[in-house]
């Protein structure tokens, strides 16, 4: 039996999983610290894609466009946190979900208005055009970049959270906002900061997606569901868990496409549902 | 009033408004306007969907993003049944009820034990499983093209005349609305509202939160599926779109617009939503933008919905038409 197609799919799954991870990380940070389930998170991700597309078309510089996509998406996130999200912190969870759902609807339509209903994509940068051979399969440099970037982001997040003062403050607010406030941590500022980090990460993920997958309306609707499933299966709040589950979902879904193309997504969702049935707190969550 | 007390409690502003509305719907075909009848049928179908949805959302306080699943189960079961088993719309619609019942119980077992946030996410995931199954199982469901040719003229009933069909829908609409009203007035209606108001206290009073939530989900699921099956007969076509989660979020928006804590709120919401989308969709492609903005405004400023807003305007004037659940 020739295993080459499986290897191809596994490598594809690795880069897809890495992109899912970048999406899920922002969602977890925002949920963990700000305690708001951000329904609009995938909308921020796609916004990052569009900003990347616009800047790349004007400047032709990949790095600058990437940075702009991150910063502008993060700025947008902060603007929304200050004007809308901040006002629903004290309300029931249902209203927080609804507010972010409203933002997601607005963002999706606004994107259609600004960037049209067609799909957009940009070419892979010249320097990353080649590829390396992995077991007889050519792995595109750009995909390697994403896989490595995803892993580095994972290491960086763990280091940042565990070894810096800001990370310590964020963890404190994550654990106990009231006590943190009493100890002099500016929780309001922390919320805004985390919202910035979360949405900027979404922007980064979105920007990295455009050279690989054409981005268009409807992508956010699909992505947010995948991101939710990853976060819930990993256990709400587990960063390491989310990385592992993202990669697993990416690889597993890519291989399923190959083996049972009729039911790939169905099987994936079914597995997720079964995991939750027997382990409601998620694979890596604490009870 | 010369009514015995047991009957007298059943009469309030809600039922009077409801009966007036049903009477109004009953005379619309007399105008002979096909367009008004079309709008009215949509209002009835989405009214049922939203009222069914609100049993869960407004009464039991559970936010579901997966009601497209139930709507889709209803629509697809009537389509598959009439096309493959027995060619009759009435039997098909009735057939969707037991299917919806089983689906609701299955969904309930999977989702109800983990708390409210999980419920929202899990219903979303389940409806996406169903949606992708509809898209992928092409040989059964027709894939993205869906199923066409659901008959209006069957072995037992012939609904091909628009007026006949209109009254067919109206009968279901009236029956469901009166049924929901009776539920609202019954002990279980009160218990379900208690679930939304303070779920921690119910176990102290000897009630199982899980059972009550299951009842809410089942009623909600069956009513939504009925709306879905009527929708399928109405258009003679079903596509997987009805099971997509964005479609399932529409009754949520309707409930919020009307006021989810009022019995008639979702119906008022459906009336506004259907009228607006039919009117606005003609000249504006991007009405979802307005919808999102309206949703946001509702959450930030008018959490009581339109009925709540009206009540705050005419605060002293308690007509009893609008009644609050939450205190």
């Amino acid at each position: 039996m020739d295993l080459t197609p499986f290897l191809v799919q596994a490598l594809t799954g690795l880069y897809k999983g890495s992109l899912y991870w970048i999406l899920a990380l922002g969602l977890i940070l925002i949920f963990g610290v700000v305690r708001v389930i951000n329904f609009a998170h995938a909308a921020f991700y796609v916004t990052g894609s569009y900003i990347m597309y616009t800047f790349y078309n004007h400047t032709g510089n990949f790095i600058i466009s990437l940075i702009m996509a991150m910063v502008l998406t993060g700025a947008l996130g902060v603007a929304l946190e200050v004007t809308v999200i901040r006002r629903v912190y004290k309300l029931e969870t249902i209203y927080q979900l609804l507010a972010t759902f409203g933002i997601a609807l607005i963002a999706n339509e606004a994107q259609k208005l600004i960037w049209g209903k067609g799909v957009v994509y940009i070419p892979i940068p010249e320097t990353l055009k080649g590829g390396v051979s992995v077991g007889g399969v050519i792995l595109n440099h750009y995909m390697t970049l994403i896989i490595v970037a995803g892993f580095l982001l994972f290491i960086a997040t763990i280091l940042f959270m565990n070894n810096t003062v800001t990370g310590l403050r964020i963890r404190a607010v994550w654990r106990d906002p009231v006590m943190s406030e009493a100890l002099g941590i500016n929780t309001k500022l922390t919320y805004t900061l985390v919202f910035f980090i979360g949405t900027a990460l979404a922007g980064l993920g979105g920007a990295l997606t455009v050279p690989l997958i054409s981005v268009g309306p409807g992508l956010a609707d699909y992505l947010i569901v995948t991101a939710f499933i990853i976060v819930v299966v990993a256990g709400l709040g587990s960063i390491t868990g989310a990385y592992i589950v993202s990669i697993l979902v990416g690889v597993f879904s890519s291989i399923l496409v190959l083996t049972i193309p009729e039911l790939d997504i169905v099987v994936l969702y079914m597995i997720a549902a079964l995991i939750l049935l027997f382990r409601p707190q998620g694979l890596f969550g604490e009870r | 009033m010369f009514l015995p007390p047991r009957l007298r409690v059943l009469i309030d502003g809600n039922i009077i408004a409801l009966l007036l509305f049903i009477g109004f719907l009953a005379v619309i075909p007399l105008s002979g306007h096909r367009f008004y009848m079309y709008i009215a049928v949509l209002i009835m179908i989405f009214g049922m969907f939203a009222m069914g949805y609100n049993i869960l959302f407004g009464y039991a306080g559970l936010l579901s993003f997966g009601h497209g699943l139930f709507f889709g189960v209803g629509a697809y079961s009537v389509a598959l049944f009439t096309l493959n088993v027995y060619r009759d719309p009435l039997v098909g619609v009735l057939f969707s009820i037991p299917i919806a019942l089983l689906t609701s119980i299955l969904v309930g077992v999977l989702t109800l034990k983990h708390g409210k946030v999980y419920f929202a996410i899990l219903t979303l995931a389940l409806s996406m499983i169903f949606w992708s199954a509809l898209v992928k199982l092409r040989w059964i469901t027709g894939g993205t093209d869906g199923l066409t040719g659901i008959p209006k003229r069957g072995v037992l009933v012939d609904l091909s005349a628009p007026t006949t069909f209109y009254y067919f829908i109206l009968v279901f609409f009236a029956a469901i609305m009166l049924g929901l009203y009776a539920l609202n007035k019954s002990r279980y209606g009160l218990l379900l509202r208690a679930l939304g108001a303070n779920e921690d206290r119910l176990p102290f009073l000897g009630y199982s939160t899980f059972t009550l939530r299951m009842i809410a989900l089942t009623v909600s699921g069956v009513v939504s599926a009925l709306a879905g099956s009527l929708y399928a007969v109405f258009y003679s076509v079903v596509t997987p779109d009805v099971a997509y989660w964005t479609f399932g979020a529409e009754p949520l928006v309707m409930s919020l617009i009307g006021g989810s804590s009022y019995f008639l709120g979702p119906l008022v919401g459906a009336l506004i939503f259907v009228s607006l989308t039919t009117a606005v969709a003609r000249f504006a492609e991007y009405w979802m933008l307005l919808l999102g903005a309206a949703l946001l405004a509702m959450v930030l400023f008018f959490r009581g919905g339109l009925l709540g807003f009206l009540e705050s305007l005419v605060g002293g004037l308690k007509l009893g038409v609008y009644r609050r659940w939450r205190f």
Side-chain angles (χ1 to χ4, degrees):
Chain A
M1 189 179 156
D2 185 16
L3 286 175
T4 317
F6 282 94
L7 189 58
V8 174
Q9 285 309 98
L11 290 174
T12 313
L14 269 181
Y15 94 76
K16 271 193 182 164
S18 302
L19 287 174
Y20 288 152
W21 147 248
I22 299 176
L23 177 67
L25 176 60
L27 199 63
I28 294 177
L29 284 176
I30 292 173
F31 176 76
V33 180
V34 189
R35 287 189 171 68
V36 166
I37 297 198
N38 188 7
F39 230 98
H41 201 69
F44 283 109
Y45 186 91
V46 177
T47 307
S49 303
Y50 280 122
I51 294 175
M52 178 79 179
Y53 164 77
T54 305
F55 271 90
Y56 190 80
N57 275 358
H58 283 291
T59 63
N61 188 321
F62 190 82
I63 304 290
I64 290 180
S65 312
L66 196 65
I67 292 170
M68 286 313 284
M70 270 183 83
V71 172
L72 287 182
T73 313
L76 207 61
V78 169
L80 274 167
E81 198 270 343
V82 172
T83 52
V84 179
I85 314 279
R86 191 172 277 181
R87 311 175 65 148
V88 297
Y89 287 153
K90 295 239 161 65
L91 300 178
E92 283 177 66
T93 325
I94 281 185
Y95 289 115
Q96 300 173 352
L97 274 168
L98 289 173
T100 53
F101 178 59
I103 294 173
L105 281 180
I106 296 174
N108 287 351
E109 292 304 303
Q111 284 159 3
K112 276 192 221 165
L113 272 173
I114 300 172
W115 286 284
K117 284 182 172 172
V119 293
V120 301
Y121 67 98
I122 61 171
I124 291 175
E126 280 301 326
T127 44
L128 295 170
K129 275 266 165 68
V132 285
S133 172
V134 181
V137 177
I138 302 292
L139 180 65
N140 193 311
H141 279 321
Y142 189 73
M143 295 183 183
T144 319
L145 172 84
I146 287 182
I147 296 168
V148 172
F151 184 69
L152 287 180
L153 182 65
F154 170 59
I155 302 293
T157 313
I158 298 290
L159 288 178
F160 170 73
M161 292 297 262
N162 289 334
N163 297 330
T164 63
V165 177
T166 319
L168 183 69
R169 289 211 177 103
I170 291 177
R171 276 187 295 140
V173 179
W174 189 319
R175 283 277 169 215
D176 193 335
V178 179
M179 187 55 86
S180 312
E181 183 111 352
L183 292 172
I185 295 175
N186 189 341
T187 47
K188 222 172 174 181
L189 193 67
T190 313
Y191 285 170
T192 313
L193 174 71
V194 168
F195 224 85
F196 176 78
I197 297 175
T199 47
L201 281 172
L204 169 73
L208 287 173
T209 310
V210 219
L212 287 168
I213 303 162
S214 307
V215 169
L219 180 67
D221 296 344
Y222 167 76
L223 280 179
I224 193 66
V225 178
T226 315
F228 275 162
I229 288 174
I230 289 171
V231 171
V232 172
V233 167
L236 285 172
S238 166
I239 290 177
T240 315
Y243 183 62
I244 297 170
V245 173
S246 301
I247 299 291
L248 282 179
V249 165
V251 173
F252 203 63
S253 63
S254 300
I255 290 177
L256 279 175
V257 170
L258 203 64
T259 44
I260 30 171
E262 304 84 26
L263 286 172
D264 56 338
I265 320 175
V266 185
V267 172
L268 194 69
Y269 286 157
M270 296 271 234
I271 295 172
L274 283 178
I275 289 176
L276 287 176
L277 190 60
F278 294 109
R279 219 182 135 75
Q281 72 272 39
L283 290 176
F284 300 87
E286 300 161 20
R287 195 62 168 142
Chain B
M1 293 285 243
F2 310 105
L3 288 166
R6 268 189 76 84
L7 279 179
R8 208 180 302 154
V9 293
L10 279 176
I11 310 285
D12 70 8
N14 282 320
I15 190 75
I16 295 168
L18 193 59
L19 289 175
L20 283 176
F21 185 61
I22 291 173
F24 172 67
L25 287 172
V27 297
I28 283 184
L30 300 182
S31 73
H33 269 290
R34 291 286 289 276
F35 183 67
Y36 291 150
M37 281 166 67
Y38 170 77
I39 302 266
V41 166
L42 281 184
I43 289 172
M44 285 191 274
I45 290 175
F46 282 103
M48 283 185 259
F49 192 17
M51 291 288 276
Y53 181 86
N54 203 46
I55 298 285
L56 208 56
F57 178 63
Y59 283 46
L62 288 169
L63 174 62
S64 156
F65 276 110
H67 258 52
L69 169 75
F70 298 109
F71 198 85
V73 162
Y76 271 87
S77 55
V78 76
L80 290 170
F81 186 81
T82 52
L83 293 175
N84 301 320
V85 185
Y86 188 76
R87 211 178 155 72
D88 187 81
L90 178 62
V91 182
V93 168
L94 295 178
F95 171 76
S96 71
I97 297 175
I99 302 291
L101 202 64
L102 290 176
T103 315
S104 311
I105 292 170
L106 183 69
V107 171
V109 170
L110 285 170
T111 56
L112 283 177
K113 284 187 174 160
H114 312 311
K116 290 182 176 180
V117 171
Y118 275 96
F119 182 78
I121 297 177
L122 286 178
T123 47
L124 176 61
L126 283 178
S127 85
M128 289 305 281
I129 297 182
F130 183 64
W131 175 80
S132 37
L134 290 179
V135 172
K136 296 277 180 171
L137 297 172
R138 215 161 282 125
W139 60 96
I140 304 173
T141 62
T144 39
D145 298 335
L147 295 166
T148 51
I150 300 157
K152 279 204 178 69
R153 181 203 302 262
V155 182
L156 295 178
V157 290
D158 179 2
L159 308 169
S160 43
T163 319
T164 324
F165 182 74
Y166 184 90
Y167 285 110
F168 175 75
I169 300 263
L170 184 63
V171 168
F172 273 98
F173 176 77
I176 286 179
M177 288 305 135
L178 296 177
L180 287 179
Y181 183 74
L183 172 74
N184 159 32
K185 283 286 173 180
S186 75
R187 195 169 132 257
Y188 278 101
L190 193 64
L191 281 171
L192 293 183
R193 274 176 275 151
L195 195 58
N198 192 340
E199 57 179 8
D200 299 330
R201 266 200 177 180
L202 277 170
F204 288 105
L205 300 172
Y207 295 103
S208 153
T209 326
F210 179 75
T211 314
L212 285 172
R213 282 181 170 171
M214 189 61 117
I215 292 172
L217 182 66
T218 313
V219 173
S220 179
V222 170
V223 172
S224 306
L226 261 177
S229 63
L230 294 171
Y231 182 85
V233 178
F234 178 49
Y235 279 115
S236 299
V237 172
V238 282
T239 58
D241 292 349
V242 295
Y244 204 68
W245 70 270
T246 43
F247 188 87
E250 283 182 12
L252 163 68
V253 176
M254 293 173 200
S255 304
L256 281 171
I257 292 177
S260 61
S261 40
Y262 300 88
F263 174 70
L264 287 178
L267 188 58
V268 173
L271 188 82
I272 297 170
F273 187 91
V274 172
S275 319
L276 265 185
T277 49
T278 324
V280 177
R282 287 179 156 184
F283 54 87
E285 238 178 305
Y286 300 97
W287 64 270
M288 288 285 271
L289 191 71
L290 295 174
L291 191 69
L295 192 61
L296 213 52
M298 287 288 170
V299 172
L300 290 179
F301 309 112
F302 311 106
R303 278 187 290 280
L306 181 74
L307 291 185
F309 180 64
L310 283 180
E311 196 181 61
S312 69
L313 275 187
V314 287
L317 196 71
K318 289 265 190 270
L319 292 169
V321 176
Y322 348 99
R323 267 198 49 187
R324 250 178 208 295
W325 297 143
R326 301 202 186 115
F327 334 95

Short mmCIF file of all heavy atoms in Angstrom, two decimals, chain B residues 154-177:
data_model
loop_
_atom_site.label_atom_id
_atom_site.label_comp_id
_atom_site.label_asym_id
_atom_site.label_seq_id
_atom_site.Cartn_x
_atom_site.Cartn_y
_atom_site.Cartn_z
N GLY B 154 -51.88 15.25 -2.34
CA GLY B 154 -51.51 13.91 -1.93
C GLY B 154 -52.66 12.94 -2.04
O GLY B 154 -53.69 13.25 -2.66
N VAL B 155 -52.50 11.77 -1.46
CA VAL B 155 -53.54 10.74 -1.53
C VAL B 155 -54.76 11.18 -0.71
O VAL B 155 -55.91 11.01 -1.14
CB VAL B 155 -52.99 9.40 -0.99
CG1 VAL B 155 -54.03 8.31 -1.09
CG2 VAL B 155 -51.72 9.02 -1.73
N LEU B 156 -54.51 11.76 0.46
CA LEU B 156 -55.63 12.12 1.33
C LEU B 156 -56.09 13.56 1.15
O LEU B 156 -57.28 13.82 1.10
CB LEU B 156 -55.23 11.90 2.80
CG LEU B 156 -54.94 10.46 3.24
CD1 LEU B 156 -54.50 10.44 4.68
CD2 LEU B 156 -56.18 9.60 3.04
N VAL B 157 -55.13 14.49 1.11
CA VAL B 157 -55.53 15.90 1.01
C VAL B 157 -54.94 16.53 -0.24
O VAL B 157 -53.90 16.10 -0.74
CB VAL B 157 -55.04 16.71 2.25
CG1 VAL B 157 -55.81 16.31 3.48
CG2 VAL B 157 -53.55 16.56 2.43
N ASP B 158 -55.64 17.52 -0.75
CA ASP B 158 -55.16 18.26 -1.92
C ASP B 158 -55.01 19.72 -1.52
O ASP B 158 -56.00 20.41 -1.28
CB ASP B 158 -56.15 18.11 -3.07
CG ASP B 158 -55.69 18.88 -4.29
OD1 ASP B 158 -54.58 19.47 -4.23
OD2 ASP B 158 -56.42 18.89 -5.29
N LEU B 159 -53.75 20.16 -1.39
CA LEU B 159 -53.51 21.53 -0.93
C LEU B 159 -53.01 22.41 -2.06
O LEU B 159 -52.43 23.47 -1.83
CB LEU B 159 -52.46 21.53 0.19
CG LEU B 159 -52.71 20.60 1.36
CD1 LEU B 159 -51.48 20.53 2.23
CD2 LEU B 159 -53.89 21.09 2.17
N SER B 160 -53.24 21.98 -3.30
CA SER B 160 -52.62 22.73 -4.39
C SER B 160 -53.25 24.11 -4.59
O SER B 160 -52.59 25.02 -5.08
CB SER B 160 -52.66 21.92 -5.69
OG SER B 160 -53.91 21.32 -5.83
N ALA B 161 -54.50 24.29 -4.17
CA ALA B 161 -55.08 25.64 -4.25
C ALA B 161 -54.49 26.50 -3.14
O ALA B 161 -54.41 26.05 -2.00
CB ALA B 161 -56.59 25.56 -4.12
N PRO B 162 -54.05 27.72 -3.46
CA PRO B 162 -53.38 28.56 -2.44
C PRO B 162 -54.24 28.78 -1.20
O PRO B 162 -53.72 28.75 -0.08
CB PRO B 162 -53.14 29.88 -3.17
CG PRO B 162 -53.24 29.57 -4.60
CD PRO B 162 -54.10 28.37 -4.76
N THR B 163 -55.54 28.97 -1.38
CA THR B 163 -56.39 29.24 -0.23
C THR B 163 -56.49 28.01 0.67
O THR B 163 -56.40 28.11 1.90
CB THR B 163 -57.80 29.66 -0.68
OG1 THR B 163 -57.65 30.54 -1.81
CG2 THR B 163 -58.55 30.35 0.41
N THR B 164 -56.64 26.84 0.06
CA THR B 164 -56.68 25.61 0.85
C THR B 164 -55.41 25.47 1.67
O THR B 164 -55.44 25.16 2.87
CB THR B 164 -56.79 24.37 -0.06
OG1 THR B 164 -57.59 24.70 -1.17
CG2 THR B 164 -57.36 23.19 0.68
N PHE B 165 -54.27 25.70 1.01
CA PHE B 165 -53.00 25.57 1.69
C PHE B 165 -52.90 26.56 2.83
O PHE B 165 -52.44 26.25 3.92
CB PHE B 165 -51.85 25.76 0.71
CG PHE B 165 -50.51 25.58 1.36
CD1 PHE B 165 -50.08 24.30 1.69
CD2 PHE B 165 -49.71 26.66 1.68
CE1 PHE B 165 -48.86 24.11 2.32
CE2 PHE B 165 -48.50 26.48 2.31
CZ PHE B 165 -48.08 25.20 2.63
N TYR B 166 -53.36 27.78 2.56
CA TYR B 166 -53.32 28.83 3.57
C TYR B 166 -54.05 28.39 4.83
O TYR B 166 -53.51 28.48 5.94
CB TYR B 166 -53.96 30.10 3.01
CG TYR B 166 -53.88 31.27 3.94
CD1 TYR B 166 -52.80 32.14 3.89
CD2 TYR B 166 -54.89 31.51 4.87
CE1 TYR B 166 -52.72 33.21 4.74
CE2 TYR B 166 -54.82 32.58 5.73
CZ TYR B 166 -53.73 33.43 5.67
OH TYR B 166 -53.66 34.49 6.52
N TYR B 167 -55.27 27.82 4.66
CA TYR B 167 -56.02 27.42 5.85
C TYR B 167 -55.43 26.18 6.51
O TYR B 167 -55.53 26.00 7.72
CB TYR B 167 -57.50 27.23 5.50
CG TYR B 167 -58.20 28.56 5.34
CD1 TYR B 167 -58.61 29.02 4.10
CD2 TYR B 167 -58.37 29.39 6.45
CE1 TYR B 167 -59.21 30.26 3.96
CE2 TYR B 167 -58.96 30.63 6.32
CZ TYR B 167 -59.38 31.06 5.08
OH TYR B 167 -59.94 32.30 4.96
N PHE B 168 -54.80 25.34 5.70
CA PHE B 168 -54.07 24.18 6.24
C PHE B 168 -53.01 24.66 7.24
O PHE B 168 -52.92 24.18 8.38
CB PHE B 168 -53.43 23.42 5.08
CG PHE B 168 -52.55 22.26 5.46
CD1 PHE B 168 -53.08 21.06 5.91
CD2 PHE B 168 -51.17 22.36 5.34
CE1 PHE B 168 -52.27 20.00 6.24
CE2 PHE B 168 -50.34 21.29 5.67
CZ PHE B 168 -50.90 20.11 6.12
N ILE B 169 -52.23 25.66 6.81
CA ILE B 169 -51.20 26.22 7.69
C ILE B 169 -51.84 26.89 8.91
O ILE B 169 -51.39 26.73 10.04
CB ILE B 169 -50.33 27.25 6.94
CG1 ILE B 169 -49.63 26.61 5.75
CG2 ILE B 169 -49.35 27.93 7.88
CD1 ILE B 169 -48.24 26.17 5.99
N LEU B 170 -52.93 27.62 8.65
CA LEU B 170 -53.58 28.37 9.73
C LEU B 170 -54.07 27.42 10.83
O LEU B 170 -53.95 27.73 12.02
CB LEU B 170 -54.74 29.20 9.17
CG LEU B 170 -55.44 30.11 10.18
CD1 LEU B 170 -54.49 31.15 10.72
CD2 LEU B 170 -56.65 30.78 9.57
N VAL B 171 -54.60 26.24 10.42
CA VAL B 171 -55.08 25.29 11.42
C VAL B 171 -53.93 24.84 12.33
O VAL B 171 -54.04 24.86 13.56
CB VAL B 171 -55.74 24.07 10.73
CG1 VAL B 171 -55.96 22.94 11.75
CG2 VAL B 171 -57.05 24.47 10.09
N PHE B 172 -52.79 24.51 11.71
CA PHE B 172 -51.63 24.11 12.51
C PHE B 172 -51.17 25.26 13.40
O PHE B 172 -50.86 25.07 14.57
CB PHE B 172 -50.48 23.68 11.59
CG PHE B 172 -50.54 22.23 11.22
CD1 PHE B 172 -51.09 21.84 10.00
CD2 PHE B 172 -50.08 21.26 12.08
CE1 PHE B 172 -51.16 20.51 9.66
CE2 PHE B 172 -50.16 19.92 11.75
CZ PHE B 172 -50.70 19.55 10.54
N PHE B 173 -51.12 26.45 12.81
CA PHE B 173 -50.67 27.62 13.56
C PHE B 173 -51.55 27.84 14.78
O PHE B 173 -51.06 27.96 15.91
CB PHE B 173 -50.71 28.85 12.64
CG PHE B 173 -50.36 30.13 13.32
CD1 PHE B 173 -49.04 30.44 13.61
CD2 PHE B 173 -51.35 31.05 13.67
CE1 PHE B 173 -48.71 31.62 14.24
CE2 PHE B 173 -51.03 32.23 14.30
CZ PHE B 173 -49.71 32.51 14.58
N ALA B 174 -52.88 27.84 14.56
CA ALA B 174 -53.81 28.10 15.66
C ALA B 174 -53.67 27.01 16.73
O ALA B 174 -53.59 27.30 17.93
CB ALA B 174 -55.23 28.16 15.14
N ALA B 175 -53.59 25.75 16.28
CA ALA B 175 -53.49 24.65 17.24
C ALA B 175 -52.23 24.80 18.09
O ALA B 175 -52.28 24.66 19.33
CB ALA B 175 -53.48 23.32 16.51
N ILE B 176 -51.10 25.10 17.45
CA ILE B 176 -49.85 25.21 18.19
C ILE B 176 -49.86 26.40 19.14
O ILE B 176 -49.45 26.31 20.30
CB ILE B 176 -48.66 25.27 17.22
CG1 ILE B 176 -48.44 23.88 16.65
CG2 ILE B 176 -47.41 25.76 17.92
CD1 ILE B 176 -47.34 23.80 15.66
N MET B 177 -50.37 27.54 18.66
CA MET B 177 -50.39 28.72 19.51
C MET B 177 -51.26 28.48 20.74
O MET B 177 -50.89 28.81 21.87
CB MET B 177 -50.95 29.93 18.73
CG MET B 177 -50.02 30.46 17.69
SD MET B 177 -48.42 30.90 18.38
CE MET B 177 -47.35 30.20 17.16
#
